[in-house]
Amino acid sequence: MTKKILLQAAIIIASFFLVWFGFSQIDFMKLFSVKERSEKIEHKLGDMIWNQIEDTEDIVTNDTIVKSLDKLLKPICEANDIDRDSLKVHIIKKDEINAFALPNNHLVVYTGLIEDCKRQEALQGVLGHEIAHIEKNHVMKKLSKEIGYSVLISAAGGTKGSQIAKEILKTLSSSAYDRKLEKEADITSVKYMLEADIDPRPMADFMYQMAQDSNIDKNMYWIADHPESEERAKYILDYLKGKKLKSKATLSEKDWKAFQEQVKEE
């Protein structure tokens, strides 16, 4: 028995030194340097793309509209420990039913989306979905996969930056993430809403509504180009089965309708 105990102790000690030796071979300074460089690239790309959007699109700066959208975002951020100030939220006057995330925490919302949502919870679900893409680093994963990290570095460094920025913007605003990332963003948004006592079912209804609308240009709208939108609505509802749902409206029905009307008249 004593020999067995000594052998086990020897194995534990040997394992400890083996792990310690392995970690000692890692160049943590180099590792952190790579992370820091990636963050700098992301910051440059996000700001570069947003600057291009600012020069070409009609940006909504109406204080009442901006504050109303912020009210819808606030409970999601507060309930899920998301730093609201870290999100750079922009509203663009455009009929397309669209919202998308850019590098460096930029979140773009089109007025067409706000107008088309029958329920405020549906809009909050879409916002939560895009915040999830940001929080889970899906944006850079998508760009690295579809455009290539070396191209992104080149763009951030100023080489053909404007030309590449257009390609990046097109990729993020009009094409879906892969199924795995989309599902992760969907379910994360649902979790965000549950934590904030917001009913996620209107988000699933919105997806189903968009999937059934045959008049939608499938290359230009938030839900239509996402994979299997009916299936996504179904797995959201399946996820909610058996869960206690609280339905606490962020805006009064009067304020929600007034918000949509203001957006329409902008």
Side-chain angles (χ1 to χ4, degrees):
M1 183 65 73
T2 303
K3 285 184 178 180
K4 187 177 180 181
I5 293 172
L6 288 173
L7 180 61
Q8 288 176 337
I11 291 171
I12 292 171
I13 293 169
S15 299
F16 170 81
F17 281 107
L18 190 62
V19 171
W20 176 82
F21 178 79
F23 274 110
S24 70
Q25 302 307 303
I26 299 174
D27 187 344
F28 284 102
M29 292 303 292
K30 185 176 181 181
L31 195 64
F32 291 138
S33 178
V34 169
K35 183 181 178 183
E36 186 178 313
R37 188 184 182 197
S38 297
E39 288 175 352
K40 284 183 179 178
I41 290 169
E42 181 177 353
H43 290 174
K44 283 187 178 180
L45 284 174
D47 293 343
M48 180 178 67
I49 298 165
W50 174 246
N51 288 338
Q52 188 171 84
I53 293 174
E54 250 185 335
D55 290 340
T56 57
E57 301 290 352
D58 186 2
I59 313 300
V60 176
T61 57
N62 181 302
D63 195 49
T64 304
I65 292 174
V66 171
K67 284 183 177 178
S68 293
L69 186 67
D70 192 61
K71 284 180 183 176
L72 294 172
L73 276 169
K74 190 176 179 181
I76 294 172
C77 293
E78 286 184 347
N80 294 280
D81 296 322
I82 296 167
D83 182 5
R84 169 62 188 88
D85 292 337
S86 71
L87 299 173
K88 305 172 181 71
V89 183
H90 315 283
I91 305 172
I92 293 180
K93 184 163 180 57
K94 211 161 189 174
D95 290 336
E96 294 171 19
I97 304 167
N98 210 356
F100 53 91
L102 298 174
N104 197 23
N105 296 7
H106 289 276
L107 198 168
V108 178
V109 182
Y110 286 176
T111 54
L113 172 68
I114 299 171
E115 290 178 47
D116 199 71
C117 287
K118 290 183 173 66
R119 299 273 300 274
Q120 60 183 285
E121 295 89 349
L123 177 57
Q124 287 173 303
V126 175
L127 295 173
H129 176 100
E130 297 304 329
I131 291 171
H133 280 319
I134 292 171
E135 291 289 302
K136 302 287 183 181
N137 198 34
H138 291 174
V139 181
M140 292 303 289
K141 285 179 183 176
K142 175 181 172 69
L143 293 178
S144 297
K145 180 180 177 181
E146 296 189 17
I147 294 178
Y149 196 65
S150 60
V151 177
L152 298 178
I153 292 173
S154 175
T159 309
K160 298 182 179 178
S162 178
Q163 183 180 338
I164 297 172
K166 290 179 182 178
E167 185 181 346
I168 293 172
L169 178 58
K170 184 179 178 183
T171 299
L172 292 174
S173 64
S174 63
S175 68
Y177 292 77
D178 66 41
R179 282 170 176 245
K180 182 181 176 182
L181 297 186
E182 287 293 5
K183 185 169 185 177
E184 185 178 15
D186 284 338
I187 298 301
T188 300
S189 179
V190 169
K191 290 177 179 177
Y192 287 161
M193 296 173 80
L194 290 173
E195 285 293 323
D197 293 338
I198 299 169
D199 186 353
R201 288 173 297 184
M203 177 186 177
D205 293 340
F206 177 68
M207 288 181 172
Y208 188 76
Q209 166 204 327
M210 296 288 284
Q212 298 303 307
D213 193 339
S214 59
N215 295 320
I216 289 175
D217 179 347
K218 294 191 181 299
N219 292 315
M220 300 304 289
Y221 288 81
W222 185 82
I223 192 68
D225 193 43
H226 287 41
E228 305 297 336
S229 50
E230 285 184 48
E231 179 189 322
R232 293 171 66 200
K234 184 177 182 301
Y235 66 58
I236 286 173
L237 294 176
D238 285 344
Y239 180 82
L240 293 173
K241 284 180 180 176
K243 290 182 170 59
K244 291 183 179 179
L245 302 179
K246 295 182 180 179
S247 186
K248 187 170 71 176
T250 304
L251 301 177
S252 68
E253 189 61 22
K254 180 181 177 182
D255 287 344
W256 165 245
K257 293 300 180 186
F259 172 48
Q260 286 186 304
E261 194 60 37
Q262 288 163 350
V263 167
K264 189 175 182 179
E265 293 173 356
E266 178 65 19

